[in-house]
Structure formats: C-alpha cells, structure tokens
C-alpha cells in the first residue's frame, strides 16, 4: 500500500529489475490537481517498513501511475493476465488496504465480473465528459483500496481497482470499477518492456 501526506492508497508490484521494483497504482493516489506528490512511501505491512518511492510516469486520461522503489527487500511481483479474456460472472479477487493502512493491510474481497468492458462517460479533472473503459465488478472496493490489484482465480493481475459508484438515495451499492490490465500494459509498454 502507498502512503502520502493527505491520504493513502494501494499498489501492485508488476516488475523487478535488479533491486528496482515497479509499482502500479491510481494517479489520484499520488497526484493531486496535476501536482505530483514528492513524499511517497511504500508500506510493507508484513515487516512493518516504509520505503521511499518515486513517480516514474502517469496518465492524465486514465487514472494510472507507475512508481519505482529501490530496495534489497525481496518483494513479490504480480503475474500479468489478459483482461481481454474476461467474461461476465467470472470470479474476481480484489486486494487493497482499506480505511486504516496498518490495521487492514492487504485485505482481500471476492466477487464477480459484472461487465468485462464497461465504457463510462465520467467527469474528469483534466477532460470533461471523458469516456474510459473499465472492468465492472461487485467485488468490494473501499477507501484506501484505490490502486490495488484485481486478480482472477489463477492469481493473474487483470485490473487496477479505481473507483466505486455509490448513492444511498438511489440504493446504488456494490458497483465497483477497475482499469483493465491490458490498458495499463499499453500505457507503460516503454517502461515494462
């Protein structure tokens, strides 16, 4: 999970190069109003350690950022799946750190893919009425889980958990969305090679 001064979110290690690890998270976790945060720390809950990391790249249209941390601590690297193979009704497993970073580090929730490719017109700070593609899931995502991984039952990373639609007046709940991993691969192909 990632920590910044005002808030926190989650992330997924997707590449190792010597002692450098590359982590995917949401842009909104590490960028506020187009200002990149400079004091970003990676929290390793299993050994209760904070490590400084830096933003390598982020995309304004898609809520995704790539970070790098250098450490001799051996970190697990996620296997990347293929989000184009997703089908409605398949199981989906979300991992993130909701509510309290240290108390609920690496919480797991299980649900289903509601739609493998949902095009949504949304208000975006940078572009009005921006249409983005998401995986819609009923797997629970709470505050702090943004940037965490969405996995299939084979343990492959299929998406990055991003946001939820909730409206108590309209009785809307359990509509959650993740950026497809294929889109992430396309955005950062230069870095992930």
């Amino acid at each position: 999970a990632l920590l910044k001064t005002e808030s926190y979110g989650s992330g997924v290690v997707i590449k190792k190069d010597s002692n450098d690890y590359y982590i995917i998270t949401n842009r909104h976790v590490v960028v506020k109003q187009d200002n990149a945060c400079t004091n970003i720390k990676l929290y390793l809950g299993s050994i209760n350690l904070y490590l400084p990391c830096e933003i390598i790249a982020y995309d304004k249209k898609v809520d995704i950022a790539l970070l790098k941390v250098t450490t001799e601590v051996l970190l697990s690297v996620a296997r990347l799946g293929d989000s184009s193979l997703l089908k409605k009704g398949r199981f989906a497993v979300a991992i993130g750190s909701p509510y309290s970073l240290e108390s609920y580090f690496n919480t797991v929730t299980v649900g289903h893919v509601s739609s493998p490719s949902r095009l949504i017109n949304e208000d975006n700070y940078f572009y009005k009425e921006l249409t983005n593609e998401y995986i819609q899931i009923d797997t629970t995502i709470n505050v702090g889980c943004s940037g965490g991984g969405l996995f299939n039952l084979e343990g492959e990373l299929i998406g990055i958990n991003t946001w939820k639609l909730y409206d108590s007046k309209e009785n809307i709940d359990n509509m959650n969305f993740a950026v497809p991993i294929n889109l992430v691969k396309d955005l950062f192909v230069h870095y992930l090679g």
Side-chain angles (χ1 to χ4, degrees):
L2 303 168
L3 178 73
K4 68 176 188 174
T5 307
E6 306 86 33
S7 64
Y8 66 92
S10 300
V12 183
V13 178
I14 61 167
K15 179 181 176 183
K16 179 183 189 305
D17 183 10
S18 187
N19 286 340
D20 293 334
Y21 291 88
Y22 293 86
I23 302 158
I24 291 289
T25 189
N26 289 135
R27 178 187 45 78
H28 75 259
V29 171
V30 294
V31 177
K32 185 171 175 135
Q33 296 179 342
D34 210 22
N35 292 318
C37 298
T38 55
N39 187 23
I40 302 168
K41 294 193 186 299
L42 173 73
Y43 175 65
L44 303 177
S46 56
I47 57 175
N48 196 28
L49 176 67
Y50 286 90
L51 297 172
C53 57
E54 62 178 312
I55 299 174
I56 299 299
Y58 63 88
D59 190 87
K60 288 183 182 181
K61 294 180 186 176
V62 180
D63 192 5
I64 289 294
L66 180 66
L67 311 178
K68 182 174 85 170
V69 64
T70 303
T71 180
E72 292 184 9
V73 176
L74 187 60
L75 304 179
S76 296
V77 178
R79 284 185 299 129
L80 303 185
D82 183 350
S83 52
S84 71
L85 300 177
L86 289 177
K87 305 260 190 263
K88 284 185 181 185
R90 295 280 170 88
F91 281 105
V93 178
I95 301 177
S97 300
Y99 184 64
S100 170
L101 182 65
E102 293 179 8
S103 298
Y104 299 106
F105 176 77
N106 275 356
T107 293
V108 174
T109 57
V110 179
H112 301 89
V113 173
S114 302
S115 174
S117 179
R118 182 76 70 197
L119 295 177
I120 297 179
N121 230 349
E122 59 184 303
D123 285 334
N124 182 289
Y125 178 79
F126 301 100
Y127 303 95
K128 288 294 181 194
E129 295 184 9
L130 175 70
T131 301
N132 272 326
E133 178 185 0
Y134 294 98
I135 301 166
Q136 182 184 341
I137 51 176
D138 68 0
T139 311
T140 303
I141 300 173
N142 290 304
V143 173
C145 291
S146 292
L150 182 69
F151 296 86
N152 60 23
L153 290 185
E154 287 73 42
E156 297 170 327
L157 183 66
I158 55 173
I160 300 298
N161 303 320
T162 302
W163 62 283
K164 70 189 289 178
L165 182 60
Y166 176 79
D167 188 334
S168 59
K169 294 177 194 169
E170 299 291 330
N171 282 331
I172 296 173
D173 193 13
N174 228 15
M175 291 179 66
N176 305 289
F177 300 88
V179 175
I181 197 61
N182 288 9
L183 181 54
V184 174
K185 291 180 201 174
D186 291 345
L187 288 173
F188 298 129
V189 66
H190 174 73
Y191 300 97
L192 303 178

